[in-house]
Amino acid sequence: MSTSPAAALLPCAELHLHIEGTLEPELIFELAARNGLSLPYADLAELRARYEFTDLKSFLDLYYANMEVLRTEADFADMTRSYLRRAAAAGVRHVEMMVDPQAHLLRGVPLETCIHGVAGVLAGSLEEFGVSSELIAAFLRDRPVAEAEDVLRQLVAMEAPIVGIGLDSAEVGNPPEGFIELYRMARDAGLKCVAHAGEEGPSHYIEQALDLLLVDRIDHGIRCLDDPALVERLVRDRIPLTICPLSNVRLRSVDTLADHPLPQMLARGSTYR
Ligand SMILES: [Zn+2]
């Protein structure tokens, strides 16, 4: 995300955003100090040096390690407010934000702490930052599906202010087909459905997400280009893909920005309109 004056002139929407991924080194150290936690990094520079990734897994290792500092409702609120401040300065006027409740429950942080901390700030995001917002509860595809279903039941029971569910974390070997019942439960609860598919995983994970999970939108989806028939389907049915070129390069799904398929994908889309 750029914070240049030129970018600030362009209103934009952020549709693929993991709030825990917005934790910056300064806030990680601040929250660790506040909670009396010691970090495995001596200083900011040592933490920043870890932001060199070889693949999605290497990113997720740091992502999960960093969120250890999130313990209280105020921590989740400060993280959310910190993101919204930067996003507003960069021209973001609408965000559909994902949060990973399981990642916090597994650390012993109650669901209410996480949801109330994030959602409490989002409730006032338009007034405080000029950014409208929605919250999506994302589930960890590398955890048992029964655990996800249990968390979804709890979210529905507590009337968590979520608009939909998503599916994220380590993709390869964890196909959408294992989560059919979770997505049926979500639809029955009136929730929208999105899922990460085709980030590192094969193109047929995208087909599974569409055919089995009945998602409204695919997160990433860049591997669709391995299957021309799937590309035609995505274009014909106008299935939105939330593509993250800079993430794809940093996590080594794509070698360089010049190699990224986004221009090719945009060209294919416009052919059919
Ligand atoms: Zn993502």
Side-chain angles (χ1 to χ4, degrees), residues 16 18 98 168 196 199 219-220 244:
H16 189 151
H18 301 267
M98 281 178 270
D168 62 8
H196 285 52
E199 178 184 12
D219 295 317
H220 291 292
C244 307

Side-chain angles (χ1 to χ4, degrees), residues 69-116:
V69 299
L70 296 164
R71 297 298 173 96
T72 69
E73 197 172 310
D75 299 339
F76 285 90
D78 286 352
M79 169 178 68
T80 306
R81 195 168 276 116
S82 175
Y83 159 73
L84 285 167
R85 192 174 299 118
R86 293 196 304 276
V92 173
R93 294 295 172 262
H94 178 72
V95 58
E96 296 181 10
M97 175 185 290
M98 281 178 270
V99 65
D100 284 330
Q102 271 165 292
H104 310 299
L105 279 167
L106 289 166
R107 302 184 293 108
V109 176
L111 197 56
E112 290 76 9
T113 301
C114 155
I115 295 297
H116 291 165

Side-chain angles (χ1 to χ4, degrees), residues 43-246:
D43 52 27
L44 286 171
E46 193 180 327
L47 173 51
R48 283 207 184 88
R50 305 285 182 101
Y51 284 64
E52 293 295 333
F53 310 113
T54 54
D55 56 13
L56 176 60
K57 168 76 167 56
S58 67
F59 162 77
L60 288 170
D61 288 345
L62 186 68
Y63 174 73
Y64 291 123
N66 284 346
M67 64 175 79
E68 285 287 333
V69 299
L70 296 164
R71 297 298 173 96
T72 69
E73 197 172 310
D75 299 339
F76 285 90
D78 286 352
M79 169 178 68
T80 306
R81 195 168 276 116
S82 175
Y83 159 73
L84 285 167
R85 192 174 299 118
R86 293 196 304 276
V92 173
R93 294 295 172 262
H94 178 72
V95 58
E96 296 181 10
M97 175 185 290
M98 281 178 270
V99 65
D100 284 330
Q102 271 165 292
H104 310 299
L105 279 167
L106 289 166
R107 302 184 293 108
V109 176
L111 197 56
E112 290 76 9
T113 301
C114 155
I115 295 297
H116 291 165
V118 173
V121 173
L122 291 186
S125 68
L126 190 59
E127 293 73 18
E128 194 174 350
F129 299 98
V131 180
S132 58
S133 60
E134 302 284 7
L135 186 59
I136 297 169
F139 293 94
L140 307 183
R141 67 197 313 151
D142 49 355
R143 297 287 308 168
V145 64
E147 182 181 288
E149 291 169 3
D150 182 49
V151 174
L152 178 56
R153 276 188 211 98
Q154 292 181 56
L155 287 165
V156 171
M158 69 185 275
E159 299 183 350
I162 55 174
V163 71
I165 70 162
L167 191 65
D168 62 8
S169 201
E171 183 182 14
V172 175
N174 298 302
E177 64 186 354
F179 296 86
I180 294 172
E181 177 61 17
L182 176 75
Y183 275 72
R184 191 195 61 72
M185 287 168 57
R187 285 194 304 280
D188 286 351
L191 297 168
K192 293 276 192 185
C193 296
V194 300
H196 285 52
E199 178 184 12
E200 282 188 350
S203 59
H204 71 262
Y205 283 17
I206 301 170
E207 287 184 301
Q208 283 189 8
L210 293 170
D211 293 335
L212 304 180
L213 306 187
L214 308 180
V215 298
D216 301 301
R217 190 165 76 194
I218 296 284
D219 295 317
H220 291 292
I222 58 174
R223 299 294 162 201
C224 70
L225 292 170
D226 296 336
D227 180 352
L230 175 59
V231 173
E232 287 191 23
R233 174 185 178 181
L234 293 170
V235 172
R236 183 191 67 230
D237 295 344
R238 303 185 66 117
I239 305 293
L241 309 178
T242 61
I243 299 172
C244 307
L246 297 178

